[in-house]
Amino acid sequence: MSVRDSSGSGRAKTTSRASVSFGAFARKPVERNEASAAVGQASGIEPVDTLPDDAVEVGAIVDAYGLKGWVKVAAHASARQGGDALTSAKCWWLVKGREIKSAPVVVAKVHGDSVVAQLSGPGDRDQALAWRGWCVHVCRSDFPALGTDEFYWVDLIGLEVVNEAGIALGVVIDLIDNGAHSVLRIEYPSQDKDGQPVTGERLIPFVGVYVKTVDQAARRIVVDWEADY
């Protein structure tokens, strides 16, 4: 299997095959600031009250690109390992502070280690520079389809992890890409030497030798891993 990091989105595979990774995303609730800035309002980019329920933060606008209003986005993972979530979505949701804007995408493509895009409406370099610092969200439903045994990181966050004996090992709070494969970062309740409650942590490689099943409907991952490892 593999986990895809969609900063563009976040894919992951749990297998001994090469894994691709996208980044762990957790959408933060954002409220609209009624005193929203005028930037983008005349260009097809419009203010909205809330993000879609399945919106996932996948990157941030870091600069203008060229002279015709294109923007440059730093994805939360390598553009080549998840930038397709940014390039496939027809609409981006831009967030800065309490402001939220819907931004139809004319064209977006991978460029080196980033993604560059032309958003809807007329624009020039100065208008593109005004978007620096805005975070980019896309709908989870717009993520590209995955292959067999591939998963987006965002879909694994929050899943319960148990071993084959049914012993609870904790909950996935994050994933780590170590270059060779993804690693599940799992937290569980524990106690210190004085008996005080603390949070323990386990790291389990997301590869087929350890990860046996991923049941997203049941929100559970079964692993070949002992509680005292």
Side-chain angles (χ1 to χ4, degrees), residues 13 42 68 106 144 164 183 222:
K13 257 189 177 174
K68 297 183 178 180
V106 176
E164 292 177 299
V183 178
V222 177

Side-chain angles (χ1 to χ4, degrees), residues 96-108:
K96 187 173 185 180
R98 294 178 175 235
E99 296 181 71
I100 309 173
K101 298 182 187 292
S102 65
V105 179
V106 176
V107 61

Side-chain angles (χ1 to χ4, degrees), residues 24-146:
F25 313 112
R27 180 172 65 86
K28 300 183 177 71
V30 182
E31 297 178 3
R32 181 188 175 196
N33 182 352
E34 294 301 328
S36 59
V39 62
Q41 289 188 13
S43 65
I45 299 174
E46 299 293 339
V48 295
D49 291 330
T50 60
L51 286 169
D53 289 340
D54 66 340
V56 177
E57 184 180 324
V58 294
I61 297 175
V62 295
D63 206 349
Y65 176 74
L67 302 176
K68 297 183 178 180
W70 286 51
V71 295
K72 181 177 181 180
V73 177
H76 289 333
S78 167
R80 298 185 186 280
Q81 296 179 322
D84 49 353
L86 279 162
T87 58
S88 65
K90 301 303 182 186
C91 184
W92 292 356
W93 307 87
L94 308 181
V95 177
K96 187 173 185 180
R98 294 178 175 235
E99 296 181 71
I100 309 173
K101 298 182 187 292
S102 65
V105 179
V106 176
V107 61
K109 60 185 180 180
V110 174
H111 180 72
D113 293 331
S114 59
V115 171
V116 294
Q118 180 185 18
L119 303 180
S120 179
D124 56 26
R125 184 172 178 83
D126 288 340
Q127 289 177 324
L129 287 171
W131 292 113
R132 285 187 298 186
W134 288 70
C135 294
V136 180
H137 295 64
V138 301
C139 291
R140 172 63 183 83
S141 56
D142 288 335
F143 284 15
L146 298 178

